[in-house]
Amino acid sequence: MTTPARPVNRHHKRPRGEGQWALGYREPLNKNEENKKNDDGLNVRQRIIDIYSKYGFDSIDPADLRGRMRWYGLYTQRRPGIDGGKTAILEPEELDDRYFMLRVRIDGGRLDLRQLRTIADISNLYGRGTADVTDRQNIQLHWIEIESVPDIWERLEAVGLSTTEACGDTPRVILGCPLAGIDGEEVLDGTPHIREIHDAYIGDPAYSNLPRKFKTAVSGCPAHCTVHEINDVAFVGVVNERGEAGYDLWVGGGLSTNPMLAKRLGVFVTPEQVSAVYGGVIGIFRDYGYRRLRHRARLKFLVNDWGVERFREILQTEYLGYALPDGPAPEQPRGGRRDHVGVFPQKDGNFYVGFAPRVGRLSGDTLHLIADIAERHGSDRVHTTVEQKMVILDVAPDRVDSLVAELEANDLRVNPSTFRRQTMACTGIEFCKLAIVETKATASDLIDELERRLPDFTEPLTINVNGCPNSCARIQVADIGLKGQLVVNDEGEQVEGFQIHLGGSLGVNAGFGRKVRGLKATAAELPDYVERVVRNFEKQRDEGETFSEWVQRADEADLK
């Protein structure tokens, strides 16, 4: 008996392409990809100079205003007076103010005093005195008018700074240890390799249309201060079995609404190979990265789907043309904090002094003050960190005490409390169009309350405050991560508040924070909540146990 043929399913559809260029999907699959195909984001610079700065805000093409201008570090900021409940409801043009946030990229966190003073001048002249140090070593200004941008660029470029690809679907700022070249315990100095990557790839049209943003870290820091675990690509200093210093390669890290830790490829990269290997990784992202859905367009999704073996194979065969040898994993990070706050010796006999601005918030006047203090004490370098902190380098031993005293007198803490030292906050609703709640002032007030209530608490404890789910302030890897949302208070009113993540960490036991069902707090309740959970930790912790370790075993009742 002949078996009847199975009926053809005429409704069966071929799996949808993900927009991967290497597989032939070159036609744009969404509006963002269409805008990038229509015109490279790098081309907007000339329009800003020739047209928009001369004819004003109303002359700006919408595709440039909410797209390509990001390629030069420009975002429209949030119009004042729009509450968080309207963030996801209003159209972009209803949220836009006529002013911009401007992000100055500071690769490796390296600034000399001339550069620092230039940013301070721009802040005071054009940004109403605003200046925030970010957790990616940049400095952000606000209230920038389009008419001022060409002069701002001229001032920055005259001292070797720029805003090129500070935002957008591009290779953004390259993180580096602020102590590179001066730390006697570093595995190697990543500064020349950061410079090579920057000069070879930043502003190159071959890499200016990526599926999404691309985040990089290059460091030989023994404290692992560049948080390599959450970057798209990271080069981590190691020493191989022959005693040669090089890098361990990590790919596919990132947070936001689908957090993933980066994965080791298990290869050893020599210093001479860094630029080519970087080009291979970013090339894979450009060519194989998903471009259909924006929320799946980060490298982490490709790495997660492929696995490290396939990623390594494609990197070696299609992009490098040679195999990379197996290599060792990095040593565990030095110390319990990765921020370089305090006074420490350099390998040349001088000292560096790291200090903590309040949640990264500064001003043009304060930047000038920092430059003046550094200069008075013989330093010409002030570097930024990935924890919203700053470091003054090259201080002679006999000048350290007076430098520290002057910083402390100006509320730039060299010996801060745990809460001042380890609380970060994103931009929040004050300026950000994605935010739902206020962050900077909330975090600052929280610091003051915790210092008053828990003056003797000295254990490491990170508190990261984020205004929306996108995790610019890295909430999932904080001891206490606060994700902004609207919540209902005891009177039944909808107010600003936070969903709470507990016990996230990087380093030895890297992992994401624990979410306890229903664990939320209003902004007003935060001091009471944090005090309560910290006191429970103090009572219950075993000797040497970290907050993150305690959270993983604690009863839910003790976390509420």
Side-chain angles (χ1 to χ4, degrees):
M1 182 176 176
T2 304
T3 303
R6 297 179 63 185
V8 175
N9 181 358
R10 299 188 184 279
H11 298 289
H12 177 72
K13 294 183 179 180
R14 178 185 174 203
R16 294 185 70 180
E18 292 288 349
Q20 296 165 284
W21 287 0
L23 302 184
Y25 293 98
R26 300 293 300 211
E27 285 305 307
L29 297 178
N30 60 54
K31 186 66 175 178
N32 287 283
E33 290 299 309
E34 182 180 333
N35 287 340
K36 289 187 289 180
K37 183 179 181 180
N38 289 342
D39 191 32
D40 193 307
L42 294 174
N43 294 335
V44 78
R45 176 186 171 101
Q46 207 58 46
R47 289 194 289 278
I48 292 173
I49 294 171
D50 294 339
I51 303 172
Y52 304 149
S53 67
K54 290 181 170 62
Y55 296 97
F57 186 89
D58 291 332
S59 70
I60 304 173
D61 184 303
D64 287 343
L65 182 66
R66 300 180 190 95
R68 302 182 191 101
M69 291 176 76
R70 299 175 185 180
W71 271 243
Y72 287 93
L74 289 159
Y75 282 94
T76 49
Q77 63 189 40
R78 186 188 193 93
R79 184 177 299 172
I82 300 175
D83 65 62
K86 296 179 181 176
T87 296
I89 298 173
L90 296 180
E91 295 298 322
E93 58 269 21
E94 296 176 286
L95 285 166
D96 286 332
D97 202 356
R98 297 172 69 87
Y99 299 92
F100 293 86
M101 178 208 80
L102 179 68
R103 182 176 296 160
V104 181
R105 66 179 295 152
I106 304 172
D107 293 277
R110 302 175 77 85
L111 288 171
D112 60 35
L113 296 193
R114 188 176 174 217
Q115 292 171 326
L116 184 60
R117 286 182 169 125
T118 295
I119 297 172
D121 286 339
I122 293 169
S123 168
N124 285 338
L125 283 169
Y126 298 122
R128 301 189 187 180
T130 56
D132 288 340
V133 181
T134 76
D135 61 5
R136 297 206 55 90
Q137 297 185 289
N138 299 305
I139 293 179
Q140 289 182 178
L141 311 177
H142 296 279
W143 300 109
I144 301 299
E145 296 177 296
I146 193 64
E147 292 86 349
S148 308
V149 171
D151 186 58
I152 291 172
W153 283 343
E154 286 185 16
R155 290 170 182 265
L156 290 172
E157 289 161 12
V159 295
L161 294 172
S162 90
T163 68
T164 303
E165 295 183 334
C167 311
D169 296 350
T170 66
R172 299 191 183 183
V173 67
I174 306 161
L175 301 186
C177 177
L179 312 182
I182 68 167
D183 187 336
E185 297 181 28
E186 70 181 354
V187 177
L188 77 170
D189 179 1
T191 306
H193 314 127
I194 292 174
R195 189 177 302 118
E196 287 172 8
I197 291 171
H198 178 279
D199 293 348
Y201 300 98
I202 304 307
D204 183 348
Y207 300 94
S208 61
N209 181 355
L210 303 177
R212 283 288 302 277
K213 56 191 168 186
F214 187 76
K215 297 184 176 182
T216 305
V218 180
S219 177
C221 174
H224 296 178
C225 71
T226 57
V227 291
H228 60 272
E229 302 97 329
I230 53 174
N231 281 272
D232 291 285
V233 62
F235 296 83
V236 186
V238 293
V239 177
N240 68 12
E241 69 278 3
R242 294 187 296 277
E244 300 166 330
Y247 293 101
D248 189 39
L249 182 63
W250 295 57
V251 296
L255 297 178
S256 192
T257 53
N258 286 284
M260 299 182 194
L261 294 174
K263 298 175 174 62
R264 291 186 60 233
L265 286 195
V267 299
F268 181 79
V269 180
T270 68
E272 296 75 23
Q273 294 172 323
V274 169
S275 183
V277 170
Y278 176 89
V281 175
I282 197 173
I284 289 175
F285 182 43
R286 176 194 62 196
D287 301 337
Y288 285 98
Y290 304 146
R291 292 175 180 263
R292 181 168 66 88
L293 301 174
R294 290 285 287 176
H295 68 270
R296 275 183 50 82
R298 292 292 300 276
L299 182 63
K300 62 187 178 183
F301 293 100
L302 183 68
V303 173
N304 189 61
D305 290 348
W306 276 10
V308 294
E309 293 81 7
R310 184 181 179 193
F311 195 98
R312 178 175 175 176
E313 178 186 2
I314 297 294
L315 173 64
Q316 294 174 151
T317 58
E318 295 188 22
Y319 291 84
L320 294 178
Y322 55 83
L324 295 166
D326 292 345
E331 298 288 334
Q332 294 296 345
R334 176 191 66 193
R337 294 180 170 100
R338 300 162 77 167
D339 55 15
H340 301 307
V341 171
V343 179
F344 299 94
Q346 300 178 182
K347 62 185 179 184
D348 62 2
N350 290 320
F351 287 79
Y352 70 84
V353 179
F355 59 94
R358 187 181 287 267
V359 293
R361 171 114 319 162
L362 294 162
S363 68
D365 288 346
T366 304
L367 293 179
H368 268 303
L369 174 66
I370 292 167
D372 292 344
I373 292 172
E375 186 174 50
R376 279 195 289 272
H377 293 85
S379 171
D380 186 50
R381 297 191 288 172
V382 180
H383 292 179
T384 57
T385 83
V386 304
E387 304 292 334
Q388 300 179 337
K389 309 299 186 292
M390 302 182 83
V391 182
I392 296 175
L393 279 62
D394 310 321
V395 183
D398 62 347
R399 308 300 297 275
V400 170
D401 289 345
S402 60
L403 171 67
V404 170
E406 195 165 354
L407 288 171
E408 290 276 347
N410 287 282
D411 197 33
L412 299 167
R413 302 294 185 197
V414 179
N415 300 294
S417 70
T418 285
F419 307 114
R420 174 69 171 266
R421 179 172 183 170
Q422 294 194 275
T423 298
M424 293 200 310
C426 73
T427 300
I429 201 170
E430 181 180 10
F431 297 117
C432 179
K433 293 181 295 182
L434 300 177
I436 301 168
V437 303
E438 202 287 323
T439 54
K440 291 287 189 183
T442 298
S444 183
D445 292 345
L446 179 62
I447 291 169
D448 290 341
E449 275 298 302
L450 294 176
E451 287 179 340
R452 183 179 66 82
R453 300 182 188 198
L454 298 163
D456 300 321
F457 183 80
T458 59
E459 294 300 316
L461 184 80
T462 54
I463 303 175
N464 293 8
V465 185
N466 213 79
C468 77
N470 289 320
S471 198
C472 294
R474 311 199 299 253
I475 52 172
Q476 295 99 331
V477 293
D479 287 311
I480 301 176
L482 303 172
K483 182 176 77 173
Q485 59 182 222
L486 298 180
V487 301
V488 177
N489 66 13
D490 291 340
E491 287 73 43
E493 303 165 324
Q494 195 174 60
V495 297
E496 292 190 354
F498 298 88
Q499 182 188 68
I500 299 168
H501 298 237
L502 293 172
S505 64
L506 296 174
V508 179
N509 297 307
F512 301 127
R514 176 179 174 184
K515 286 188 283 187
V516 177
R517 184 181 298 275
L519 184 53
K520 301 175 183 178
T522 68
E525 292 168 341
L526 279 181
D528 290 341
Y529 171 75
V530 176
E531 178 187 10
R532 184 164 64 248
V533 76
V534 168
R535 290 195 186 279
N536 288 341
F537 165 62
E538 288 186 300
K539 292 174 187 174
Q540 299 176 15
R541 70 187 294 254
D542 296 331
E543 185 175 354
E545 188 174 35
T546 67
F547 183 87
S548 176
E549 291 167 341
W550 170 75
V551 165
Q552 303 312 315
R553 67 171 180 83
D555 291 336
E556 284 197 4
D558 294 319
L559 301 177
K560 293 185 174 180

